[in-house]
Amino acid sequence: MHFLSGPVGVEGAEPGDLLVVDLLDIGAKPDSLWGFNGFFSKKNGGGFLTEHFPSAQKSIWDFHGMFTSSRHVPGVNFAGLIHPGLIGCLPDRAMLETWNQREVDFIATDPARVPPLANPPFAGTAHMGKLTGEAKAKVAAEGARTVPPREHGGNCDIKDLSRGSKVFFPVYVKGAGLSVGDLHFSQGDGEITFCGAIEMAGWVHMRVSLIKGGMAKYGIKNPIFKPSPITPSYKDYLIFEGISVDEQGQQHYLDVHVAYRQACLNAIEYLKKFGYSGAQAYSILGTAPVQGHISGVVDIPNACATLWLPTEIFDFDINPTSAGPVKFISGTTDLPIAYDLT
Amino acid sequence: MHFLSGPVGVEGAEPGDLLVVDLLDIGAKPDSLWGFNGFFSKKNGGGFLTEHFPSAQKSIWDFHGMFTSSRHVPGVNFAGLIHPGLIGCLPDRAMLETWNQREVDFIATDPARVPPLANPPFAGTAHMGKLTGEAKAKVAAEGARTVPPREHGGNCDIKDLSRGSKVFFPVYVKGAGLSVGDLHFSQGDGEITFCGAIEMAGWVHMRVSLIKGGMAKYGIKNPIFKPSPITPSYKDYLIFEGISVDEQGQQHYLDVHVAYRQACLNAIEYLKKFGYSGAQAYSILGTAPVQGHISGVVDIPNACATLWLPTEIFDFDINPTSAGPVKFISGTTDLPIAYDLT
Amino acid sequence: MHFLSGPVGVEGAEPGDLLVVDLLDIGAKPDSLWGFNGFFSKKNGGGFLTEHFPSAQKSIWDFHGMFTSSRHVPGVNFAGLIHPGLIGCLPDRAMLETWNQREVDFIATDPARVPPLANPPFAGTAHMGKLTGEAKAKVAAEGARTVPPREHGGNCDIKDLSRGSKVFFPVYVKGAGLSVGDLHFSQGDGEITFCGAIEMAGWVHMRVSLIKGGMAKYGIKNPIFKPSPITPSYKDYLIFEGISVDEQGQQHYLDVHVAYRQACLNAIEYLKKFGYSGAQAYSILGTAPVQGHISGVVDIPNACATLWLPTEIFDFDINPTSAGPVKFISGTTDLPIAYDLT
Amino acid sequence: MHFLSGPVGVEGAEPGDLLVVDLLDIGAKPDSLWGFNGFFSKKNGGGFLTEHFPSAQKSIWDFHGMFTSSRHVPGVNFAGLIHPGLIGCLPDRAMLETWNQREVDFIATDPARVPPLANPPFAGTAHMGKLTGEAKAKVAAEGARTVPPREHGGNCDIKDLSRGSKVFFPVYVKGAGLSVGDLHFSQGDGEITFCGAIEMAGWVHMRVSLIKGGMAKYGIKNPIFKPSPITPSYKDYLIFEGISVDEQGQQHYLDVHVAYRQACLNAIEYLKKFGYSGAQAYSILGTAPVQGHISGVVDIPNACATLWLPTEIFDFDINPTSAGPVKFISGTTDLPIAYDLT
């Protein structure tokens, strides 16, 4: 579950406009200077590496001004790349129906799948804010779930929509209806430790303006954005390659998802040589300002993805040397596990 | 076809070592200060956006010192991020057999497919260097094609393996057998305009050293590398989002390949508003230092990929404004087309 | 006048140690989201360009999250490089006497000068915090004025001591006695618009630790520091050169102060071509993240200094073009002047 | 002595224009992949720290592709920030006379000084290229020495005029008369180890264009320039402060030259703790991409300058730690000394 604020109306906004949102600043609530990162249990939907980390595990991250560190993951300390996981304007009725239809159709291709291929509207657990009575029932039954990113933006979990960035959103309804939430103190590309990034309670300071008729003027279907000039700048990276051959040696066709998974697994193996548990290494990849690049997608049959791990976030040197790695991490702490109830 | 130099033996290299390669400098041949970028015809295998650009097209890029511009793509000018498309050490017999087996098995899952799912050894067109007679025949019949990236590196087409970077390669055979080639003056992430980047004739200046037993010490399966300190630094980007719903509105499951394709198509539509033809815009995405990020891969069912287009490479301002885009590009030139022979 | 907080005692700190201060975060007071920048009247001591701007003038800068803009200086908008103008540990008695002696000796070389060459202790206007009675009188009479930077750090006005940076201060007395204040939202190198930067009311979040005996271990006389990883990154600059020949054509010997003044005057002339008043241009140089570099100091008789003006802080393009500059700024606003009382 | 090429005529250039020079690439001569850095003997004019390093000393720097290291200064290795020390257009007669007059006047203020305050035209040693006879004699007698930077640019020794940068030069005579030379493989801000940077034999690839009447349009007196997008990016610095109190404890008035000297001396003391000789440390500051910033120039009586030393150029960690510095450098090599002939 992610908390959202909104929708907020924007005077003058009309369908076809672009809503320009300046994320002027984002911060943690002053009485809540911590966040958490966790993996879902495989039984609860799992995540990117759920075959390797099937249990629910969690780490706590304390905020020290603009920096964070964790009692469960020693040896790393980095500046927050604070951003909302979810932000976007309301869909109109046609867009909403498109979403619901294509996802229902998709589920139908493998209806017995666990977890399901997508999440249709589900009135039973819908959180409907201040709506009551019939209105609430109607919306809960039809409202798209906020799990995935869609044409309007939504739960993109793009770490680079960080404070200081400027986003251009398609407007579908009069007043735009801007919502924002699911704040993250930091996240690696992919949000691979679902759920999630370093999830936090916080506030957002935004400014909005409009480009009238901007969707047609610029041919916009999905949001576009410009990065912040105030991004933490880690420049020295150790980069891991992965190709679209999976852990079982199975070949996949130009599959970047598989290739990135291999790059992540390669990075985890590497970090274990310095004393980290697999879960700790996984947690670093999900929370630190790690980059995931689509490096090659045309050299049949292998896609090549790269994971960029900033070396400066570590208290020690993680570069390869002739002497081999030193076990800087003692292994006395690890991420607590919450075992599945049977 | 890409030209390769090597394999070169490295004294002291043994299986299990890491070969450390410093790419000290790379340059174009002084008598050949130009390169080309092209799209394959769909009939010839096509590329990333072959449904949209089914014909063979080509642009010529002239080199001006460290910069490049094209007579076929006006209005852009950027510094070369020069790199080898292909680099890596020889596989041993077991690794070679693994490659051939898994690719042959993969082809067998859809043997009638055009183009084929992968490219098995093909003696008919194999370029075998100085080999002759029986040795040549044997190697041509068994040697893996150099099209895809694999565990040893190979044709990764990673733009960030640029001059000044340092790469750590797995060593599989005594002497390592380092090969390098397929030089690119510049390329965007993904090498989406297959073939290819800005392909050029040039030279490489390398230094090698060894980390003995480094594969086991560091748990290395694929190469790892460190980026160059001398990378062209474009900092202002316009970023396009794409999700894993394809051009026909079809839903795909956390498919980053589809999502990146949408981000690319979104960027092309945007650039057309400034007067570029689709082919010119495509060519920019394939050649300029464009970044492709795996932004979200867990929010079922949509992956989210982002394409980062550096704004500073353009002679004019491509940022969205209230006034709307100006057609800076007159449309009088375009990429020449080579029509398929029938 | 600049407000200071402290001195704060640090447990375990002893003379000869290095006090390591992490500036974890700095911000404006939430009820005071604005700052000011001003020039002193020449009669009141003036500033770097007081011959050219002899009157007291002031601009107000509003804070919008992490950004600032001014009603008095249109067309610029930049991210704050927030930092304390003044920070450092208490001197011991010997250090204090060294300071007072060398400054009194210096004043004596030209005692009639207006303004004086330095500012000796002056009990009449000393702000003594909670001290009372005899103690207050004694300290007011002997305490060094906090105007200049000295061996302990002090009023260095180094814009790069920004939030996220790490500073190593010499410790002279038991408990260190760390003071901090004179907060700036942003400042150009040199703080040339004295007074001052964008002066603001705010708060500082710090963490301290010690390197025992660090002064001798590392041969430290003045503080050293490491920059923040979260610095606003403007990458595109227009750079102005200045040499040590002054505005009257007078030659000075390798004088970087004179050379930087020429670079500043050159930048002001340039900005005036876009419609700015001289005072507005001066204000930009004093407040924006402008860099001042000591480029050449050995080519007799001219020092060469360079002023780096980030182009991205402007709402319009300030680069030179064949078409010549456009007067984007209408000239309808300017910095208010406070005329000297006679 | 520095070698120059030129003056080269530019078609269409007239007095008052700006000559736009793109430094497209610069490199070492392929048969001369090395350079040198040296200190002048104090008897021969000395340099910035001649009181501390009075003897002529020299280090040899080998080029490895885009990187350099020295047999005389172990433990450092950095990418070249290649640039011309000297570049600019011909002065006209009036400008030439201004130069000669002000420098002769300046010498007259202390005619007995050794070394002299400036270097007037000196026919005895003038290198006059292809000129012969009377023309040669006349020019040798009147031509300004090329030692200092002046209004036209000249021997600015600005390390940031590096390959990839774009420079706008005032044009004083028909045809402009562009000269360039004194190539440096790398240099720290200030070129404090006079002579000089890493001096090398090489080539320059330039492109020129004109902004007609640009001097008046943009109010240009000295050259302006834009930095290269291909600058080596070292991001982690250790920064040394210096104030305008000299080594003898003498106070100077807002003197940035003195303050920078103190920052340099502080950095040298620091580096000696890791085993470097003073001369080696001095050599690093003169050759590596060290930045010198004018940090504060208004806090009477002390200027504050900072020296930014990139930490990534060292083979070992030079950051301060609780454990204190380790003597990584054995001290078995040093810079050879050439003793003064008596």
Side-chain angles (χ1 to χ4, degrees):
Chain A
M1 192 171 91
H2 41 228
F3 283 97
L4 301 181
S5 298
V8 173
V10 176
E11 232 172 306
E14 290 168 303
D17 292 348
L18 284 176
L19 182 69
V20 187
V21 178
D22 283 290
L23 294 168
L24 296 170
D25 201 359
I26 311 175
K29 286 183 63 183
D31 57 349
S32 187
L33 298 174
W34 63 279
F36 68 90
N37 172 257
F39 322 151
F40 280 140
S41 159
K42 191 177 168 185
K43 288 205 169 162
N44 188 25
F48 193 62
L49 299 181
T50 199
E51 301 302 325
H52 301 268
F53 301 95
S55 301
Q57 286 189 274
K58 186 159 145 177
S59 54
I60 301 299
W61 294 79
D62 293 299
F63 306 156
H64 317 289
M66 296 188 298
F67 299 88
T68 190
S69 63
S70 170
R71 64 198 77 169
H72 298 118
V73 187
V76 291
N77 177 27
F78 48 87
L81 185 61
I82 303 179
H83 63 276
L86 194 157
I87 184 166
C89 296
L90 285 177
D92 59 11
R93 161 70 50 178
M95 180 61 79
L96 177 63
E97 281 171 5
T98 298
W99 295 351
N100 283 337
Q101 193 59 50
R102 81 179 172 217
E103 292 177 23
V104 165
D105 290 351
F106 190 51
I107 293 168
T109 63
D110 187 0
R113 189 179 190 272
V114 180
L117 283 172
N119 299 293
F122 185 60
T125 60
H127 292 262
M128 302 280 53
K130 296 180 180 168
L131 286 179
T132 55
E134 208 173 322
K136 174 178 173 178
K138 184 174 160 63
V139 175
E142 299 177 1
R145 296 278 287 278
T146 56
V147 176
R150 297 191 185 92
E151 283 79 349
H152 70 320
N155 193 29
C156 288
D157 288 317
I158 301 174
K159 73 178 194 314
D160 310 290
L161 287 178
S162 64
R163 58 179 186 165
S165 68
K166 181 193 282 287
V167 201
F168 304 80
F169 289 105
V171 173
Y172 305 103
V173 299
K174 193 168 151 59
L178 178 67
S179 295
V180 62
D182 188 22
L183 300 187
H184 298 161
F185 191 81
S186 183
Q187 182 203 288
D189 268 346
E191 202 193 20
I192 62 172
T193 46
F194 187 54
C195 146
I198 298 180
E199 308 286 326
M200 76 174 191
W203 51 268
V204 182
H205 182 176
M206 300 187 286
R207 181 172 51 201
V208 297
S209 59
L210 290 166
I211 296 182
K212 297 302 296 177
M215 286 181 69
K217 277 179 184 163
Y218 287 103
I220 298 298
K221 194 170 79 176
N222 300 72
I224 61 176
F225 67 99
K226 291 180 63 72
S228 172
I230 318 162
T231 301
S233 65
Y234 295 109
K235 296 296 285 185
D236 189 53
Y237 288 90
L238 194 57
I239 305 174
F240 297 88
E241 302 180 16
I243 58 173
S244 55
V245 174
D246 68 23
E247 302 94 298
Q248 284 72 44
Q250 185 76 33
Q251 180 72 58
H252 297 254
Y253 188 73
L254 299 181
D255 189 322
V256 180
H257 187 284
V258 170
Y260 191 47
R261 204 163 70 217
Q262 304 317 304
C264 292
L265 290 169
N266 285 344
I268 289 170
E269 280 313 298
Y270 186 90
L271 288 173
K272 284 161 75 174
K273 302 293 183 185
F274 294 84
Y276 283 113
S277 73
Q280 287 174 325
Y282 187 23
S283 181
I284 291 169
L285 302 188
T287 59
V290 165
Q291 295 183 34
H293 282 234
I294 299 156
S295 292
V297 287
V298 292
D299 297 314
I300 289 166
N302 277 330
C304 177
T306 47
L307 180 145
W308 296 51
L309 182 63
T311 62
E312 298 159 73
I313 67 171
F314 293 90
D315 292 347
F316 45 88
D317 185 3
I318 66 157
N319 288 302
T321 64
S322 324
V326 176
K327 289 223 170 188
F328 288 99
I329 303 300
S330 67
T332 52
T333 60
D334 201 353
L335 275 65
I337 298 186
Y339 291 101
D340 294 325
L341 301 176
T342 52
Chain B
M1 189 173 91
H2 40 228
F3 283 97
L4 301 181
S5 298
V8 173
V10 176
E11 231 172 307
E14 290 166 304
D17 292 348
L18 285 176
L19 182 69
V20 188
V21 178
D22 283 291
L23 294 168
L24 296 169
D25 201 359
I26 310 175
K29 285 184 64 181
D31 58 349
S32 187
L33 297 175
W34 63 279
F36 68 90
N37 171 257
F39 323 150
F40 280 140
S41 159
K42 191 177 168 185
K43 289 205 171 164
N44 189 25
F48 192 62
L49 299 180
T50 198
E51 301 302 325
H52 302 268
F53 301 95
S55 300
Q57 286 189 274
K58 185 158 144 179
S59 54
I60 300 300
W61 294 78
D62 292 300
F63 307 156
H64 317 288
M66 296 188 297
F67 300 88
T68 190
S69 62
S70 171
R71 65 198 76 168
H72 298 117
V73 188
V76 292
N77 178 26
F78 47 87
L81 184 62
I82 304 178
H83 62 276
L86 193 156
I87 184 166
C89 296
L90 285 177
D92 59 11
R93 161 69 52 178
M95 179 62 79
L96 177 64
E97 282 173 2
T98 297
W99 295 350
N100 282 337
Q101 193 60 50
R102 80 178 173 218
E103 292 176 22
V104 164
D105 289 351
F106 189 52
I107 294 166
T109 63
D110 186 3
R113 188 179 190 274
V114 180
L117 283 172
N119 300 294
F122 186 61
T125 60
H127 293 263
M128 304 279 53
K130 297 180 180 168
L131 286 178
T132 55
E134 205 174 325
K136 175 179 174 177
K138 184 174 160 63
V139 173
E142 299 177 0
R145 296 278 287 277
T146 56
V147 177
R150 297 191 187 93
E151 283 80 349
H152 70 319
N155 194 28
C156 288
D157 288 317
I158 301 175
K159 74 178 193 314
D160 310 289
L161 285 179
S162 63
R163 58 180 187 165
S165 67
K166 180 192 282 286
V167 202
F168 304 81
F169 289 104
V171 173
Y172 305 103
V173 301
K174 194 169 151 59
L178 178 68
S179 295
V180 63
D182 187 22
L183 299 188
H184 298 161
F185 191 79
S186 183
Q187 182 203 291
D189 268 346
E191 203 193 20
I192 62 172
T193 46
F194 187 55
C195 151
I198 299 178
E199 308 286 326
M200 73 173 196
W203 51 269
V204 182
H205 181 178
M206 299 186 287
R207 179 171 53 200
V208 297
S209 59
L210 290 166
I211 297 182
K212 298 301 295 177
M215 286 182 70
K217 276 180 186 164
Y218 286 102
I220 299 298
K221 194 170 79 176
N222 299 73
I224 60 176
F225 66 99
K226 292 178 64 69
S228 171
I230 319 162
T231 302
S233 65
Y234 295 109
K235 295 296 285 185
D236 188 56
Y237 288 90
L238 195 56
I239 306 173
F240 296 83
E241 302 179 17
I243 57 173
S244 55
V245 174
D246 68 22
E247 302 93 300
Q248 285 72 42
Q250 185 75 33
Q251 180 71 59
H252 297 253
Y253 189 74
L254 299 181
D255 190 323
V256 180
H257 187 282
V258 171
Y260 191 48
R261 204 164 71 218
Q262 304 316 306
C264 292
L265 290 169
N266 286 343
I268 289 170
E269 280 314 298
Y270 187 91
L271 287 172
K272 284 162 74 174
K273 301 293 181 183
F274 294 85
Y276 283 114
S277 72
Q280 287 173 326
Y282 187 24
S283 180
I284 291 170
L285 302 189
T287 58
V290 165
Q291 296 184 32
H293 282 235
I294 300 156
S295 291
V297 288
V298 292
D299 298 312
I300 290 166
N302 276 331
C304 177
T306 48
L307 180 145
W308 297 50
L309 181 63
T311 62
E312 299 159 73
I313 67 171
F314 293 90
D315 291 349
F316 45 88
D317 186 2
I318 65 156
N319 288 301
T321 63
S322 323
V326 176
K327 289 222 170 190
F328 289 99
I329 303 301
S330 67
T332 51
T333 60
D334 201 354
L335 276 65
I337 297 186
Y339 292 100
D340 293 324
L341 304 177
T342 51
Chain C
M1 193 173 89
H2 40 228
F3 283 96
L4 301 181
S5 298
V8 173
V10 176
E11 231 172 306
E14 290 168 303
D17 292 348
L18 286 176
L19 182 69
V20 187
V21 178
D22 283 291
L23 294 167
L24 296 170
D25 201 359
I26 310 175
K29 285 184 65 182
D31 57 349
S32 187
L33 297 175
W34 63 279
F36 68 91
N37 172 258
F39 322 151
F40 280 140
S41 158
K42 190 176 169 186
K43 289 207 168 159
N44 189 25
F48 193 62
L49 299 181
T50 200
E51 301 301 327
H52 301 268
F53 300 95
S55 300
Q57 285 188 274
K58 185 159 144 179
S59 54
I60 301 299
W61 294 79
D62 292 300
F63 306 156
H64 317 289
M66 297 188 297
F67 299 89
T68 191
S69 63
S70 171
R71 65 199 76 169
H72 298 118
V73 187
V76 290
N77 177 29
F78 46 87
L81 185 61
I82 303 179
H83 62 276
L86 192 157
I87 184 166
C89 296
L90 286 177
D92 60 9
R93 161 70 49 180
M95 180 60 79
L96 177 64
E97 279 172 5
T98 298
W99 294 351
N100 282 337
Q101 194 59 51
R102 81 178 173 217
E103 292 176 22
V104 164
D105 290 352
F106 189 51
I107 294 167
T109 62
D110 187 1
R113 190 178 189 274
V114 180
L117 283 172
N119 299 292
F122 186 60
T125 60
H127 292 262
M128 303 278 53
K130 296 181 180 168
L131 285 179
T132 55
E134 207 172 321
K136 174 178 173 178
K138 183 173 161 62
V139 174
E142 299 178 1
R145 296 280 286 278
T146 56
V147 176
R150 297 192 185 91
E151 283 80 349
H152 70 319
N155 193 28
C156 288
D157 288 318
I158 301 174
K159 73 178 194 313
D160 310 290
L161 286 178
S162 63
R163 59 180 186 165
S165 67
K166 182 193 280 286
V167 202
F168 304 81
F169 289 105
V171 173
Y172 304 104
V173 301
K174 193 170 152 57
L178 177 69
S179 294
V180 64
D182 188 22
L183 300 188
H184 298 160
F185 190 81
S186 184
Q187 182 203 288
D189 268 346
E191 202 193 21
I192 63 172
T193 47
F194 187 54
C195 147
I198 299 179
E199 308 286 326
M200 76 174 192
W203 51 268
V204 182
H205 182 177
M206 299 186 287
R207 180 172 51 201
V208 297
S209 59
L210 290 166
I211 296 181
K212 297 301 297 177
M215 286 181 69
K217 278 179 184 164
Y218 286 103
I220 299 298
K221 194 170 79 174
N222 300 72
I224 61 177
F225 67 99
K226 291 179 65 70
S228 172
I230 319 163
T231 301
S233 63
Y234 295 109
K235 295 296 285 185
D236 188 55
Y237 288 90
L238 195 56
I239 305 174
F240 297 84
E241 301 181 16
I243 58 173
S244 55
V245 175
D246 68 23
E247 303 92 301
Q248 284 72 43
Q250 185 75 33
Q251 180 72 58
H252 298 255
Y253 188 74
L254 299 181
D255 190 322
V256 180
H257 187 283
V258 170
Y260 191 47
R261 205 163 69 217
Q262 304 316 305
C264 292
L265 290 169
N266 286 343
I268 289 170
E269 280 314 299
Y270 187 91
L271 288 173
K272 284 162 74 174
K273 301 294 181 183
F274 293 84
Y276 284 114
S277 73
Q280 287 174 325
Y282 187 23
S283 181
I284 291 169
L285 303 188
T287 59
V290 165
Q291 295 185 33
H293 282 234
I294 300 156
S295 291
V297 288
V298 293
D299 298 313
I300 289 165
N302 277 330
C304 177
T306 47
L307 180 144
W308 297 50
L309 181 63
T311 62
E312 299 159 72
I313 66 170
F314 293 90
D315 292 347
F316 45 87
D317 185 2
I318 66 158
N319 288 301
T321 64
S322 325
V326 177
K327 289 223 169 188
F328 288 99
I329 303 300
S330 66
T332 52
T333 61
D334 201 353
L335 275 64
I337 298 186
Y339 292 101
D340 293 324
L341 303 176
T342 51
Chain D
M1 191 172 92
H2 41 227
F3 283 97
L4 301 181
S5 299
V8 173
V10 176
E11 231 172 306
E14 290 167 304
D17 292 347
L18 285 176
L19 182 69
V20 188
V21 178
D22 283 291
L23 294 168
L24 296 170
D25 201 359
I26 310 174
K29 286 183 65 182
D31 58 348
S32 187
L33 298 174
W34 63 278
F36 68 90
N37 171 258
F39 324 150
F40 279 141
S41 159
K42 191 177 168 184
K43 289 205 170 162
N44 189 25
F48 192 62
L49 299 181
T50 199
E51 301 301 326
H52 301 268
F53 301 96
S55 299
Q57 286 189 274
K58 185 159 146 177
S59 54
I60 300 300
W61 294 79
D62 292 299
F63 307 156
H64 318 288
M66 295 188 297
F67 299 88
T68 189
S69 63
S70 172
R71 65 200 75 170
H72 298 118
V73 187
V76 290
N77 178 27
F78 47 86
L81 184 61
I82 303 178
H83 62 276
L86 193 156
I87 184 167
C89 296
L90 284 177
D92 59 10
R93 161 69 52 180
M95 179 61 78
L96 177 64
E97 280 172 3
T98 297
W99 295 350
N100 282 337
Q101 194 58 50
R102 80 178 173 219
E103 292 176 23
V104 164
D105 289 351
F106 189 51
I107 294 166
T109 63
D110 187 3
R113 189 178 189 274
V114 179
L117 283 172
N119 299 293
F122 186 61
T125 61
H127 293 263
M128 303 279 56
K130 296 179 178 168
L131 286 180
T132 54
E134 205 172 323
K136 174 179 175 176
K138 183 172 160 64
V139 174
E142 298 176 2
R145 296 278 286 278
T146 56
V147 176
R150 296 189 187 94
E151 284 79 349
H152 70 319
N155 194 27
C156 288
D157 288 318
I158 301 174
K159 74 179 193 313
D160 310 290
L161 286 178
S162 63
R163 58 177 186 167
S165 67
K166 179 192 282 286
V167 202
F168 304 82
F169 289 104
V171 173
Y172 304 103
V173 301
K174 194 169 151 59
L178 178 68
S179 294
V180 62
D182 188 21
L183 300 187
H184 298 161
F185 190 80
S186 183
Q187 181 203 289
D189 267 347
E191 202 191 21
I192 62 173
T193 46
F194 187 55
C195 150
I198 298 178
E199 309 285 327
M200 75 174 195
W203 51 269
V204 181
H205 181 178
M206 298 186 287
R207 179 173 53 201
V208 296
S209 59
L210 290 166
I211 296 181
K212 296 301 296 177
M215 285 182 71
K217 278 181 185 163
Y218 286 102
I220 299 297
K221 195 171 77 175
N222 299 74
I224 61 176
F225 66 100
K226 292 179 65 69
S228 172
I230 319 163
T231 303
S233 64
Y234 294 109
K235 295 295 285 185
D236 188 56
Y237 287 91
L238 195 56
I239 306 173
F240 297 84
E241 302 180 16
I243 58 174
S244 55
V245 175
D246 69 22
E247 303 92 299
Q248 285 72 43
Q250 185 75 35
Q251 180 71 58
H252 298 254
Y253 187 75
L254 299 180
D255 190 323
V256 180
H257 188 283
V258 170
Y260 191 46
R261 205 163 70 217
Q262 304 316 305
C264 292
L265 290 169
N266 286 343
I268 290 170
E269 281 313 298
Y270 187 92
L271 288 173
K272 284 161 73 173
K273 301 294 181 183
F274 294 84
Y276 284 113
S277 73
Q280 288 173 325
Y282 187 24
S283 180
I284 291 170
L285 302 188
T287 59
V290 165
Q291 297 184 32
H293 282 235
I294 299 156
S295 292
V297 287
V298 293
D299 298 312
I300 289 165
N302 276 331
C304 177
T306 48
L307 180 145
W308 297 49
L309 181 63
T311 61
E312 299 158 72
I313 66 171
F314 293 90
D315 292 347
F316 45 88
D317 185 3
I318 66 157
N319 288 300
T321 64
S322 323
V326 175
K327 289 223 169 189
F328 289 98
I329 302 301
S330 66
T332 50
T333 61
D334 201 354
L335 275 65
I337 298 185
Y339 292 99
D340 293 326
L341 304 175
T342 51

